[in-house]
Amino acid sequence: MDNLDKLDKLDMAILRELQKHARITVTELASRVGLSKTPCQIRMKRLEEQGYILGYIALVDQKKLGTKHVAFVQVTLSDTKTKALHAFNAAVREIPEIEQCHMIAANFDYLLKVRTTGMESYREVLGEKISSLPYVTQTSTFVVMEDVKDIESKLL
């Protein structure tokens, strides 16, 4: 939170606009936040250099791509020592169907967000990839029935 003290209202406005419209022109961004183009560019460059802006992404329609099936998977490991965690983390990064992986403070160790084309492909990912990850002893799946709020809904 200390870093937030270094940001003023204009910096925060720039960040909010870029989160909604990453492809906005600098001229349009400057207009929306009440700056001229050059000071806006300078602030954007500073926000990038200081690590507030990590990059720019495109949100794609997963339904159109055929990857609308989402499941959350609780994963329990047999070992949670540093070596085991590093091995698990490295292996998870190699599975493209795993969109997110979070270490959790609960009665399980990790929560994965997995995106596939359907239940059949999910079952294959679970059985052949996730269950084979280092130190995995147990998994439990929760299938998403409907996206009520996601990153895309924040853009509206």
Side-chain angles (χ1 to χ4, degrees):
M1 288 303 234
D2 293 336
N3 287 339
L4 290 178
D5 294 336
K6 298 176 185 175
L7 299 180
D8 63 18
K9 289 179 182 180
L10 289 171
D11 291 331
M12 294 301 292
I14 289 169
L15 293 175
R16 276 192 302 277
E17 286 298 323
L18 287 173
Q19 284 181 301
K20 290 186 265 183
H21 310 284
R23 289 180 51 129
I24 192 171
T25 66
V26 176
T27 303
E28 178 63 23
L29 176 62
S31 172
R32 289 185 185 192
V33 300
L35 287 171
S36 61
K37 184 178 175 180
T38 301
C40 188
Q41 282 178 314
I42 292 169
R43 282 176 179 264
M44 284 179 62
K45 184 173 174 58
R46 179 178 48 80
L47 291 167
E48 289 170 356
E49 289 171 351
Q50 292 177 347
Y52 289 99
I53 298 173
L54 301 175
Y56 301 88
I57 64 168
L59 297 175
V60 297
D61 187 329
Q62 295 296 337
K63 289 178 186 175
K64 287 184 179 182
L65 293 175
T67 52
K68 63 182 181 179
H69 184 271
V70 176
F72 287 90
V73 184
Q74 290 179 349
V75 176
T76 302
L77 303 183
S78 60
D79 183 357
T80 56
K81 294 184 179 106
T82 301
K83 180 181 174 182
L85 298 177
H86 286 304
F88 178 84
N89 294 348
V92 159
R93 290 183 186 103
E94 299 301 315
I95 301 175
E97 294 88 355
I98 299 175
E99 278 191 352
Q100 297 177 10
C101 175
H102 305 277
M103 183 185 283
I104 303 292
N107 61 346
F108 59 96
D109 301 305
Y110 286 89
L111 184 63
L112 311 178
K113 180 181 178 186
V114 181
R115 184 177 295 277
T116 58
T117 58
M119 187 57 80
E120 188 175 314
S121 61
Y122 170 72
R123 177 65 190 105
E124 186 177 317
V125 169
L126 178 66
E128 302 301 319
K129 296 180 180 181
I130 295 172
S131 295
S132 300
L133 289 169
Y135 304 98
V136 171
T137 59
Q138 183 178 350
T139 64
S140 185
T141 297
F142 302 88
V143 177
V144 173
M145 295 182 351
E146 179 182 358
D147 290 330
V148 176
K149 181 178 180 184
D150 204 345
I151 187 91
E152 294 88 359
S153 65
K154 291 177 124 182
L155 301 177
L156 302 175

PDB file of all heavy atoms in Angstrom, residues 78-104:
ATOM      1  N   SER A  78       1.185 -33.824  -1.468  1.00  0.00           N
ATOM      2  CA  SER A  78       1.688 -34.728  -0.433  1.00  0.00           C
ATOM      3  C   SER A  78       2.798 -34.086   0.379  1.00  0.00           C
ATOM      4  O   SER A  78       3.109 -34.544   1.477  1.00  0.00           O
ATOM      5  CB  SER A  78       2.217 -36.021  -1.072  1.00  0.00           C
ATOM      6  OG  SER A  78       3.282 -35.713  -1.966  1.00  0.00           O
ATOM      7  N   ASP A  79       3.385 -33.025  -0.159  1.00  0.00           N
ATOM      8  CA  ASP A  79       4.518 -32.362   0.482  1.00  0.00           C
ATOM      9  C   ASP A  79       4.412 -30.876   0.184  1.00  0.00           C
ATOM     10  O   ASP A  79       4.166 -30.486  -0.962  1.00  0.00           O
ATOM     11  CB  ASP A  79       5.827 -32.934  -0.069  1.00  0.00           C
ATOM     12  CG  ASP A  79       7.073 -32.383   0.580  1.00  0.00           C
ATOM     13  OD1 ASP A  79       6.982 -31.484   1.448  1.00  0.00           O
ATOM     14  OD2 ASP A  79       8.176 -32.855   0.218  1.00  0.00           O
ATOM     15  N   THR A  80       4.601 -30.040   1.186  1.00  0.00           N
ATOM     16  CA  THR A  80       4.548 -28.594   0.952  1.00  0.00           C
ATOM     17  C   THR A  80       5.853 -27.904   1.334  1.00  0.00           C
ATOM     18  O   THR A  80       5.866 -26.715   1.628  1.00  0.00           O
ATOM     19  CB  THR A  80       3.363 -27.958   1.709  1.00  0.00           C
ATOM     20  OG1 THR A  80       3.464 -28.275   3.094  1.00  0.00           O
ATOM     21  CG2 THR A  80       2.035 -28.437   1.151  1.00  0.00           C
ATOM     22  N   LYS A  81       6.931 -28.657   1.309  1.00  0.00           N
ATOM     23  CA  LYS A  81       8.243 -28.040   1.505  1.00  0.00           C
ATOM     24  C   LYS A  81       8.614 -27.265   0.246  1.00  0.00           C
ATOM     25  O   LYS A  81       8.061 -27.481  -0.830  1.00  0.00           O
ATOM     26  CB  LYS A  81       9.280 -29.113   1.830  1.00  0.00           C
ATOM     27  CG  LYS A  81       9.039 -29.790   3.169  1.00  0.00           C
ATOM     28  CD  LYS A  81      10.157 -30.765   3.483  1.00  0.00           C
ATOM     29  CE  LYS A  81       9.915 -31.416   4.824  1.00  0.00           C
ATOM     30  NZ  LYS A  81       9.462 -32.801   4.696  1.00  0.00           N
ATOM     31  N   THR A  82       9.539 -26.363   0.372  1.00  0.00           N
ATOM     32  CA  THR A  82       9.920 -25.456  -0.717  1.00  0.00           C
ATOM     33  C   THR A  82      10.224 -26.188  -2.017  1.00  0.00           C
ATOM     34  O   THR A  82       9.753 -25.791  -3.086  1.00  0.00           O
ATOM     35  CB  THR A  82      11.129 -24.597  -0.289  1.00  0.00           C
ATOM     36  OG1 THR A  82      10.760 -23.868   0.881  1.00  0.00           O
ATOM     37  CG2 THR A  82      11.535 -23.631  -1.379  1.00  0.00           C
ATOM     38  N   LYS A  83      10.980 -27.270  -1.957  1.00  0.00           N
ATOM     39  CA  LYS A  83      11.352 -28.016  -3.161  1.00  0.00           C
ATOM     40  C   LYS A  83      10.103 -28.538  -3.872  1.00  0.00           C
ATOM     41  O   LYS A  83       9.977 -28.442  -5.094  1.00  0.00           O
ATOM     42  CB  LYS A  83      12.285 -29.173  -2.808  1.00  0.00           C
ATOM     43  CG  LYS A  83      12.722 -29.993  -3.987  1.00  0.00           C
ATOM     44  CD  LYS A  83      13.632 -31.137  -3.544  1.00  0.00           C
ATOM     45  CE  LYS A  83      13.949 -32.037  -4.719  1.00  0.00           C
ATOM     46  NZ  LYS A  83      14.771 -33.178  -4.345  1.00  0.00           N
ATOM     47  N   ALA A  84       9.156 -29.067  -3.122  1.00  0.00           N
ATOM     48  CA  ALA A  84       7.928 -29.609  -3.702  1.00  0.00           C
ATOM     49  C   ALA A  84       7.092 -28.492  -4.325  1.00  0.00           C
ATOM     50  O   ALA A  84       6.544 -28.648  -5.423  1.00  0.00           O
ATOM     51  CB  ALA A  84       7.132 -30.352  -2.643  1.00  0.00           C
ATOM     52  N   LEU A  85       6.979 -27.370  -3.630  1.00  0.00           N
ATOM     53  CA  LEU A  85       6.197 -26.246  -4.148  1.00  0.00           C
ATOM     54  C   LEU A  85       6.794 -25.713  -5.445  1.00  0.00           C
ATOM     55  O   LEU A  85       6.076 -25.427  -6.399  1.00  0.00           O
ATOM     56  CB  LEU A  85       6.097 -25.135  -3.105  1.00  0.00           C
ATOM     57  CG  LEU A  85       5.384 -25.502  -1.801  1.00  0.00           C
ATOM     58  CD1 LEU A  85       5.434 -24.326  -0.830  1.00  0.00           C
ATOM     59  CD2 LEU A  85       3.958 -25.940  -2.051  1.00  0.00           C
ATOM     60  N   HIS A  86       8.107 -25.589  -5.484  1.00  0.00           N
ATOM     61  CA  HIS A  86       8.766 -25.105  -6.702  1.00  0.00           C
ATOM     62  C   HIS A  86       8.532 -26.064  -7.864  1.00  0.00           C
ATOM     63  O   HIS A  86       8.289 -25.635  -9.002  1.00  0.00           O
ATOM     64  CB  HIS A  86      10.266 -24.890  -6.479  1.00  0.00           C
ATOM     65  CG  HIS A  86      10.595 -23.673  -5.669  1.00  0.00           C
ATOM     66  ND1 HIS A  86      10.172 -22.411  -6.012  1.00  0.00           N
ATOM     67  CD2 HIS A  86      11.311 -23.524  -4.539  1.00  0.00           C
ATOM     68  CE1 HIS A  86      10.605 -21.529  -5.120  1.00  0.00           C
ATOM     69  NE2 HIS A  86      11.299 -22.194  -4.209  1.00  0.00           N
ATOM     70  N   ALA A  87       8.615 -27.364  -7.594  1.00  0.00           N
ATOM     71  CA  ALA A  87       8.400 -28.360  -8.646  1.00  0.00           C
ATOM     72  C   ALA A  87       6.964 -28.287  -9.167  1.00  0.00           C
ATOM     73  O   ALA A  87       6.732 -28.311 -10.384  1.00  0.00           O
ATOM     74  CB  ALA A  87       8.708 -29.760  -8.118  1.00  0.00           C
ATOM     75  N   PHE A  88       6.015 -28.193  -8.254  1.00  0.00           N
ATOM     76  CA  PHE A  88       4.607 -28.085  -8.655  1.00  0.00           C
ATOM     77  C   PHE A  88       4.381 -26.810  -9.458  1.00  0.00           C
ATOM     78  O   PHE A  88       3.779 -26.840 -10.538  1.00  0.00           O
ATOM     79  CB  PHE A  88       3.693 -28.124  -7.428  1.00  0.00           C
ATOM     80  CG  PHE A  88       2.242 -27.979  -7.768  1.00  0.00           C
ATOM     81  CD1 PHE A  88       1.501 -29.080  -8.164  1.00  0.00           C
ATOM     82  CD2 PHE A  88       1.611 -26.745  -7.704  1.00  0.00           C
ATOM     83  CE1 PHE A  88       0.155 -28.956  -8.498  1.00  0.00           C
ATOM     84  CE2 PHE A  88       0.275 -26.605  -8.034  1.00  0.00           C
ATOM     85  CZ  PHE A  88      -0.453 -27.719  -8.425  1.00  0.00           C
ATOM     86  N   ASN A  89       4.860 -25.687  -8.958  1.00  0.00           N
ATOM     87  CA  ASN A  89       4.674 -24.395  -9.631  1.00  0.00           C
ATOM     88  C   ASN A  89       5.244 -24.413 -11.047  1.00  0.00           C
ATOM     89  O   ASN A  89       4.610 -23.925 -11.992  1.00  0.00           O
ATOM     90  CB  ASN A  89       5.317 -23.265  -8.829  1.00  0.00           C
ATOM     91  CG  ASN A  89       4.642 -23.032  -7.495  1.00  0.00           C
ATOM     92  OD1 ASN A  89       3.558 -23.543  -7.230  1.00  0.00           O
ATOM     93  ND2 ASN A  89       5.293 -22.273  -6.637  1.00  0.00           N
ATOM     94  N   ALA A  90       6.435 -24.953 -11.205  1.00  0.00           N
ATOM     95  CA  ALA A  90       7.072 -25.001 -12.521  1.00  0.00           C
ATOM     96  C   ALA A  90       6.267 -25.880 -13.480  1.00  0.00           C
ATOM     97  O   ALA A  90       6.071 -25.520 -14.647  1.00  0.00           O
ATOM     98  CB  ALA A  90       8.501 -25.522 -12.391  1.00  0.00           C
ATOM     99  N   ALA A  91       5.784 -27.004 -12.995  1.00  0.00           N
ATOM    100  CA  ALA A  91       5.019 -27.917 -13.844  1.00  0.00           C
ATOM    101  C   ALA A  91       3.675 -27.313 -14.249  1.00  0.00           C
ATOM    102  O   ALA A  91       3.227 -27.479 -15.391  1.00  0.00           O
ATOM    103  CB  ALA A  91       4.825 -29.254 -13.124  1.00  0.00           C
ATOM    104  N   VAL A  92       3.024 -26.602 -13.349  1.00  0.00           N
ATOM    105  CA  VAL A  92       1.732 -25.962 -13.647  1.00  0.00           C
ATOM    106  C   VAL A  92       1.885 -24.961 -14.787  1.00  0.00           C
ATOM    107  O   VAL A  92       1.016 -24.854 -15.658  1.00  0.00           O
ATOM    108  CB  VAL A  92       1.163 -25.268 -12.388  1.00  0.00           C
ATOM    109  CG1 VAL A  92       0.140 -24.210 -12.742  1.00  0.00           C
ATOM    110  CG2 VAL A  92       0.548 -26.282 -11.453  1.00  0.00           C
ATOM    111  N   ARG A  93       2.978 -24.235 -14.795  1.00  0.00           N
ATOM    112  CA  ARG A  93       3.201 -23.217 -15.826  1.00  0.00           C
ATOM    113  C   ARG A  93       3.299 -23.818 -17.231  1.00  0.00           C
ATOM    114  O   ARG A  93       3.136 -23.112 -18.225  1.00  0.00           O
ATOM    115  CB  ARG A  93       4.459 -22.421 -15.505  1.00  0.00           C
ATOM    116  CG  ARG A  93       4.296 -21.524 -14.302  1.00  0.00           C
ATOM    117  CD  ARG A  93       5.548 -20.670 -14.042  1.00  0.00           C
ATOM    118  NE  ARG A  93       5.411 -19.931 -12.821  1.00  0.00           N
ATOM    119  CZ  ARG A  93       6.007 -20.248 -11.671  1.00  0.00           C
ATOM    120  NH1 ARG A  93       6.798 -21.302 -11.597  1.00  0.00           N
ATOM    121  NH2 ARG A  93       5.818 -19.512 -10.587  1.00  0.00           N
ATOM    122  N   GLU A  94       3.541 -25.108 -17.316  1.00  0.00           N
ATOM    123  CA  GLU A  94       3.684 -25.789 -18.612  1.00  0.00           C
ATOM    124  C   GLU A  94       2.363 -26.301 -19.170  1.00  0.00           C
ATOM    125  O   GLU A  94       2.326 -26.811 -20.291  1.00  0.00           O
ATOM    126  CB  GLU A  94       4.672 -26.957 -18.481  1.00  0.00           C
ATOM    127  CG  GLU A  94       6.072 -26.537 -18.054  1.00  0.00           C
ATOM    128  CD  GLU A  94       6.714 -25.552 -19.032  1.00  0.00           C
ATOM    129  OE1 GLU A  94       6.616 -25.788 -20.257  1.00  0.00           O
ATOM    130  OE2 GLU A  94       7.285 -24.545 -18.571  1.00  0.00           O
ATOM    131  N   ILE A  95       1.274 -26.177 -18.445  1.00  0.00           N
ATOM    132  CA  ILE A  95      -0.019 -26.690 -18.899  1.00  0.00           C
ATOM    133  C   ILE A  95      -0.872 -25.517 -19.367  1.00  0.00           C
ATOM    134  O   ILE A  95      -1.362 -24.730 -18.554  1.00  0.00           O
ATOM    135  CB  ILE A  95      -0.728 -27.476 -17.771  1.00  0.00           C
ATOM    136  CG1 ILE A  95       0.149 -28.645 -17.326  1.00  0.00           C
ATOM    137  CG2 ILE A  95      -2.099 -27.968 -18.243  1.00  0.00           C
ATOM    138  CD1 ILE A  95      -0.402 -29.406 -16.131  1.00  0.00           C
ATOM    139  N   PRO A  96      -1.064 -25.381 -20.676  1.00  0.00           N
ATOM    140  CA  PRO A  96      -1.765 -24.206 -21.197  1.00  0.00           C
ATOM    141  C   PRO A  96      -3.226 -24.109 -20.765  1.00  0.00           C
ATOM    142  O   PRO A  96      -3.772 -23.004 -20.695  1.00  0.00           O
ATOM    143  CB  PRO A  96      -1.643 -24.352 -22.722  1.00  0.00           C
ATOM    144  CG  PRO A  96      -1.295 -25.770 -22.965  1.00  0.00           C
ATOM    145  CD  PRO A  96      -0.600 -26.268 -21.736  1.00  0.00           C
ATOM    146  N   GLU A  97      -3.865 -25.216 -20.480  1.00  0.00           N
ATOM    147  CA  GLU A  97      -5.268 -25.187 -20.075  1.00  0.00           C
ATOM    148  C   GLU A  97      -5.464 -24.580 -18.688  1.00  0.00           C
ATOM    149  O   GLU A  97      -6.571 -24.161 -18.339  1.00  0.00           O
ATOM    150  CB  GLU A  97      -5.866 -26.604 -20.099  1.00  0.00           C
ATOM    151  CG  GLU A  97      -5.952 -27.219 -21.469  1.00  0.00           C
ATOM    152  CD  GLU A  97      -4.679 -27.962 -21.886  1.00  0.00           C
ATOM    153  OE1 GLU A  97      -3.662 -27.921 -21.144  1.00  0.00           O
ATOM    154  OE2 GLU A  97      -4.699 -28.580 -22.962  1.00  0.00           O
ATOM    155  N   ILE A  98      -4.405 -24.521 -17.894  1.00  0.00           N
ATOM    156  CA  ILE A  98      -4.489 -23.903 -16.567  1.00  0.00           C
ATOM    157  C   ILE A  98      -4.275 -22.403 -16.740  1.00  0.00           C
ATOM    158  O   ILE A  98      -3.179 -21.946 -17.012  1.00  0.00           O
ATOM    159  CB  ILE A  98      -3.464 -24.502 -15.580  1.00  0.00           C
ATOM    160  CG1 ILE A  98      -3.727 -25.986 -15.385  1.00  0.00           C
ATOM    161  CG2 ILE A  98      -3.528 -23.753 -14.244  1.00  0.00           C
ATOM    162  CD1 ILE A  98      -2.693 -26.702 -14.517  1.00  0.00           C
ATOM    163  N   GLU A  99      -5.370 -21.641 -16.592  1.00  0.00           N
ATOM    164  CA  GLU A  99      -5.308 -20.189 -16.758  1.00  0.00           C
ATOM    165  C   GLU A  99      -4.750 -19.500 -15.527  1.00  0.00           C
ATOM    166  O   GLU A  99      -4.083 -18.485 -15.629  1.00  0.00           O
ATOM    167  CB  GLU A  99      -6.713 -19.624 -17.016  1.00  0.00           C
ATOM    168  CG  GLU A  99      -7.175 -19.726 -18.414  1.00  0.00           C
ATOM    169  CD  GLU A  99      -8.436 -18.907 -18.652  1.00  0.00           C
ATOM    170  OE1 GLU A  99      -9.037 -18.375 -17.695  1.00  0.00           O
ATOM    171  OE2 GLU A  99      -8.824 -18.801 -19.821  1.00  0.00           O
ATOM    172  N   GLN A 100      -5.099 -20.023 -14.361  1.00  0.00           N
ATOM    173  CA  GLN A 100      -4.669 -19.407 -13.109  1.00  0.00           C
ATOM    174  C   GLN A 100      -4.312 -20.505 -12.115  1.00  0.00           C
ATOM    175  O   GLN A 100      -4.904 -21.575 -12.127  1.00  0.00           O
ATOM    176  CB  GLN A 100      -5.776 -18.533 -12.508  1.00  0.00           C
ATOM    177  CG  GLN A 100      -6.177 -17.373 -13.357  1.00  0.00           C
ATOM    178  CD  GLN A 100      -7.332 -16.592 -12.738  1.00  0.00           C
ATOM    179  OE1 GLN A 100      -7.710 -16.795 -11.595  1.00  0.00           O
ATOM    180  NE2 GLN A 100      -7.905 -15.688 -13.509  1.00  0.00           N
ATOM    181  N   CYS A 101      -3.362 -20.194 -11.266  1.00  0.00           N
ATOM    182  CA  CYS A 101      -2.963 -21.107 -10.197  1.00  0.00           C
ATOM    183  C   CYS A 101      -2.661 -20.265  -8.967  1.00  0.00           C
ATOM    184  O   CYS A 101      -1.829 -19.363  -9.019  1.00  0.00           O
ATOM    185  CB  CYS A 101      -1.735 -21.910 -10.605  1.00  0.00           C
ATOM    186  SG  CYS A 101      -1.083 -22.951  -9.282  1.00  0.00           S
ATOM    187  N   HIS A 102      -3.367 -20.562  -7.876  1.00  0.00           N
ATOM    188  CA  HIS A 102      -3.201 -19.791  -6.647  1.00  0.00           C
ATOM    189  C   HIS A 102      -2.899 -20.725  -5.486  1.00  0.00           C
ATOM    190  O   HIS A 102      -3.613 -21.718  -5.285  1.00  0.00           O
ATOM    191  CB  HIS A 102      -4.488 -19.014  -6.323  1.00  0.00           C
ATOM    192  CG  HIS A 102      -4.938 -18.135  -7.444  1.00  0.00           C
ATOM    193  ND1 HIS A 102      -4.414 -16.880  -7.645  1.00  0.00           N
ATOM    194  CD2 HIS A 102      -5.840 -18.327  -8.424  1.00  0.00           C
ATOM    195  CE1 HIS A 102      -4.995 -16.344  -8.708  1.00  0.00           C
ATOM    196  NE2 HIS A 102      -5.861 -17.211  -9.204  1.00  0.00           N
ATOM    197  N   MET A 103      -1.849 -20.414  -4.721  1.00  0.00           N
ATOM    198  CA  MET A 103      -1.606 -21.139  -3.482  1.00  0.00           C
ATOM    199  C   MET A 103      -2.599 -20.595  -2.459  1.00  0.00           C
ATOM    200  O   MET A 103      -2.759 -19.386  -2.319  1.00  0.00           O
ATOM    201  CB  MET A 103      -0.178 -20.931  -2.984  1.00  0.00           C
ATOM    202  CG  MET A 103       0.138 -21.729  -1.729  1.00  0.00           C
ATOM    203  SD  MET A 103       1.774 -21.361  -1.068  1.00  0.00           S
ATOM    204  CE  MET A 103       2.773 -22.294  -2.206  1.00  0.00           C
ATOM    205  N   ILE A 104      -3.256 -21.516  -1.749  1.00  0.00           N
ATOM    206  CA  ILE A 104      -4.360 -21.157  -0.869  1.00  0.00           C
ATOM    207  C   ILE A 104      -4.046 -21.551   0.570  1.00  0.00           C
ATOM    208  O   ILE A 104      -3.476 -22.612   0.819  1.00  0.00           O
ATOM    209  CB  ILE A 104      -5.655 -21.880  -1.322  1.00  0.00           C
ATOM    210  CG1 ILE A 104      -6.001 -21.548  -2.778  1.00  0.00           C
ATOM    211  CG2 ILE A 104      -6.817 -21.588  -0.393  1.00  0.00           C
ATOM    212  CD1 ILE A 104      -6.409 -20.128  -3.031  1.00  0.00           C
TER     213      ILE A 104
END
